[in-house]
PDB file of all heavy atoms in Angstrom:
ATOM      1  N   ARG A 860    -240.381 -19.748-113.528  1.00  0.00           N
ATOM      2  CA  ARG A 860    -240.574 -19.003-114.767  1.00  0.00           C
ATOM      3  C   ARG A 860    -240.955 -17.551-114.505  1.00  0.00           C
ATOM      4  O   ARG A 860    -241.058 -16.752-115.425  1.00  0.00           O
ATOM      5  CB  ARG A 860    -241.620 -19.693-115.632  1.00  0.00           C
ATOM      6  CG  ARG A 860    -241.289 -21.166-115.869  1.00  0.00           C
ATOM      7  CD  ARG A 860    -241.940 -21.716-117.104  1.00  0.00           C
ATOM      8  NE  ARG A 860    -241.595 -23.119-117.307  1.00  0.00           N
ATOM      9  CZ  ARG A 860    -240.484 -23.551-117.857  1.00  0.00           C
ATOM     10  NH1 ARG A 860    -239.577 -22.677-118.254  1.00  0.00           N
ATOM     11  NH2 ARG A 860    -240.250 -24.838-118.008  1.00  0.00           N
ATOM     12  N   GLY A 861    -241.164 -17.231-113.277  1.00  0.00           N
ATOM     13  CA  GLY A 861    -241.469 -15.867-112.863  1.00  0.00           C
ATOM     14  C   GLY A 861    -241.271 -15.787-111.370  1.00  0.00           C
ATOM     15  O   GLY A 861    -241.107 -16.813-110.692  1.00  0.00           O
ATOM     16  N   GLU A 862    -241.284 -14.568-110.832  1.00  0.00           N
ATOM     17  CA  GLU A 862    -240.994 -14.437-109.411  1.00  0.00           C
ATOM     18  C   GLU A 862    -242.098 -15.010-108.536  1.00  0.00           C
ATOM     19  O   GLU A 862    -241.880 -15.254-107.340  1.00  0.00           O
ATOM     20  CB  GLU A 862    -240.748 -12.967-109.059  1.00  0.00           C
ATOM     21  CG  GLU A 862    -241.928 -12.046-109.319  1.00  0.00           C
ATOM     22  CD  GLU A 862    -241.636 -10.607-108.922  1.00  0.00           C
ATOM     23  OE1 GLU A 862    -240.572 -10.368-108.315  1.00  0.00           O
ATOM     24  OE2 GLU A 862    -242.456  -9.735-109.217  1.00  0.00           O
ATOM     25  N   ASP A 863    -243.272 -15.268-109.109  1.00  0.00           N
ATOM     26  CA  ASP A 863    -244.359 -15.790-108.295  1.00  0.00           C
ATOM     27  C   ASP A 863    -244.362 -17.310-108.178  1.00  0.00           C
ATOM     28  O   ASP A 863    -245.132 -17.857-107.395  1.00  0.00           O
ATOM     29  CB  ASP A 863    -245.709 -15.312-108.840  1.00  0.00           C
ATOM     30  CG  ASP A 863    -245.983 -15.804-110.259  1.00  0.00           C
ATOM     31  OD1 ASP A 863    -245.027 -16.154-110.968  1.00  0.00           O
ATOM     32  OD2 ASP A 863    -247.169 -15.821-110.651  1.00  0.00           O
ATOM     33  N   THR A 864    -243.513 -18.016-108.923  1.00  0.00           N
ATOM     34  CA  THR A 864    -243.533 -19.487-108.880  1.00  0.00           C
ATOM     35  C   THR A 864    -243.297 -20.000-107.468  1.00  0.00           C
ATOM     36  O   THR A 864    -243.915 -20.978-107.040  1.00  0.00           O
ATOM     37  CB  THR A 864    -242.476 -20.082-109.827  1.00  0.00           C
ATOM     38  OG1 THR A 864    -242.690 -19.578-111.143  1.00  0.00           O
ATOM     39  CG2 THR A 864    -242.562 -21.607-109.856  1.00  0.00           C
ATOM     40  N   TYR A 865    -242.388 -19.356-106.745  1.00  0.00           N
ATOM     41  CA  TYR A 865    -242.092 -19.769-105.378  1.00  0.00           C
ATOM     42  C   TYR A 865    -242.412 -18.664-104.369  1.00  0.00           C
ATOM     43  O   TYR A 865    -241.884 -18.664-103.255  1.00  0.00           O
ATOM     44  CB  TYR A 865    -240.629 -20.225-105.252  1.00  0.00           C
ATOM     45  CG  TYR A 865    -240.439 -21.573-105.890  1.00  0.00           C
ATOM     46  CD1 TYR A 865    -240.036 -21.688-107.215  1.00  0.00           C
ATOM     47  CD2 TYR A 865    -240.721 -22.745-105.199  1.00  0.00           C
ATOM     48  CE1 TYR A 865    -239.895 -22.931-107.824  1.00  0.00           C
ATOM     49  CE2 TYR A 865    -240.585 -23.992-105.792  1.00  0.00           C
ATOM     50  CZ  TYR A 865    -240.174 -24.075-107.105  1.00  0.00           C
ATOM     51  OH  TYR A 865    -240.048 -25.308-107.703  1.00  0.00           O
ATOM     52  N   ALA A 866    -243.273 -17.739-104.757  1.00  0.00           N
ATOM     53  CA  ALA A 866    -243.779 -16.766-103.792  1.00  0.00           C
ATOM     54  C   ALA A 866    -244.510 -17.510-102.683  1.00  0.00           C
ATOM     55  O   ALA A 866    -245.150 -18.536-102.915  1.00  0.00           O
ATOM     56  CB  ALA A 866    -244.732 -15.786-104.480  1.00  0.00           C
ATOM     57  N   LYS A 867    -244.425 -17.001-101.467  1.00  0.00           N
ATOM     58  CA  LYS A 867    -245.134 -17.648-100.373  1.00  0.00           C
ATOM     59  C   LYS A 867    -246.647 -17.593-100.603  1.00  0.00           C
ATOM     60  O   LYS A 867    -247.373 -18.463-100.123  1.00  0.00           O
ATOM     61  CB  LYS A 867    -244.749 -17.020 -99.033  1.00  0.00           C
ATOM     62  CG  LYS A 867    -243.253 -17.075 -98.748  1.00  0.00           C
ATOM     63  CD  LYS A 867    -242.707 -18.482 -98.910  1.00  0.00           C
ATOM     64  CE  LYS A 867    -241.257 -18.523 -99.338  1.00  0.00           C
ATOM     65  NZ  LYS A 867    -240.913 -17.910-100.623  1.00  0.00           N
ATOM     66  N   ARG A 868    -247.104 -16.601-101.352  1.00  0.00           N
ATOM     67  CA  ARG A 868    -248.526 -16.553-101.705  1.00  0.00           C
ATOM     68  C   ARG A 868    -248.903 -17.766-102.543  1.00  0.00           C
ATOM     69  O   ARG A 868    -249.957 -18.392-102.318  1.00  0.00           O
ATOM     70  CB  ARG A 868    -248.826 -15.255-102.454  1.00  0.00           C
ATOM     71  CG  ARG A 868    -250.230 -15.160-103.025  1.00  0.00           C
ATOM     72  CD  ARG A 868    -250.607 -13.716-103.274  1.00  0.00           C
ATOM     73  NE  ARG A 868    -250.842 -13.025-102.009  1.00  0.00           N
ATOM     74  CZ  ARG A 868    -250.845 -11.698-101.868  1.00  0.00           C
ATOM     75  NH1 ARG A 868    -250.605 -10.913-102.916  1.00  0.00           N
ATOM     76  NH2 ARG A 868    -251.093 -11.157-100.692  1.00  0.00           N
ATOM     77  N   THR A 869    -248.066 -18.144-103.476  1.00  0.00           N
ATOM     78  CA  THR A 869    -248.315 -19.312-104.319  1.00  0.00           C
ATOM     79  C   THR A 869    -248.238 -20.588-103.499  1.00  0.00           C
ATOM     80  O   THR A 869    -249.087 -21.490-103.635  1.00  0.00           O
ATOM     81  CB  THR A 869    -247.288 -19.360-105.460  1.00  0.00           C
ATOM     82  OG1 THR A 869    -247.363 -18.151-106.216  1.00  0.00           O
ATOM     83  CG2 THR A 869    -247.538 -20.547-106.372  1.00  0.00           C
ATOM     84  N   MET A 870    -247.234 -20.679-102.640  1.00  0.00           N
ATOM     85  CA  MET A 870    -247.067 -21.882-101.821  1.00  0.00           C
ATOM     86  C   MET A 870    -248.186 -22.012-100.795  1.00  0.00           C
ATOM     87  O   MET A 870    -248.618 -23.126-100.473  1.00  0.00           O
ATOM     88  CB  MET A 870    -245.685 -21.859-101.173  1.00  0.00           C
ATOM     89  CG  MET A 870    -244.553 -21.901-102.207  1.00  0.00           C
ATOM     90  SD  MET A 870    -242.906 -21.570-101.527  1.00  0.00           S
ATOM     91  CE  MET A 870    -242.492 -23.176-100.846  1.00  0.00           C
ATOM     92  N   ALA A 871    -248.674 -20.877-100.289  1.00  0.00           N
ATOM     93  CA  ALA A 871    -249.813 -20.915 -99.379  1.00  0.00           C
ATOM     94  C   ALA A 871    -251.069 -21.397-100.091  1.00  0.00           C
ATOM     95  O   ALA A 871    -251.866 -22.166 -99.534  1.00  0.00           O
ATOM     96  CB  ALA A 871    -250.036 -19.532 -98.775  1.00  0.00           C
ATOM     97  N   ALA A 872    -251.254 -20.955-101.339  1.00  0.00           N
ATOM     98  CA  ALA A 872    -252.400 -21.430-102.118  1.00  0.00           C
ATOM     99  C   ALA A 872    -252.312 -22.937-102.341  1.00  0.00           C
ATOM    100  O   ALA A 872    -253.343 -23.626-102.347  1.00  0.00           O
ATOM    101  CB  ALA A 872    -252.463 -20.692-103.454  1.00  0.00           C
ATOM    102  N   ASP A 873    -251.081 -23.454-102.501  1.00  0.00           N
ATOM    103  CA  ASP A 873    -250.887 -24.906-102.597  1.00  0.00           C
ATOM    104  C   ASP A 873    -251.469 -25.604-101.368  1.00  0.00           C
ATOM    105  O   ASP A 873    -252.143 -26.644-101.474  1.00  0.00           O
ATOM    106  CB  ASP A 873    -249.403 -25.259-102.665  1.00  0.00           C
ATOM    107  CG  ASP A 873    -248.736 -24.937-103.986  1.00  0.00           C
ATOM    108  OD1 ASP A 873    -249.435 -24.630-104.970  1.00  0.00           O
ATOM    109  OD2 ASP A 873    -247.485 -25.005-104.027  1.00  0.00           O
TER     110      ASP A 873
END
Side-chain angles (χ1 to χ4, degrees):
R860 307 203 180 278
E862 61 179 352
D863 62 339
T864 304
Y865 286 93
K867 302 308 151 299
R868 173 159 288 162
T869 302
M870 297 169 81
D873 287 348

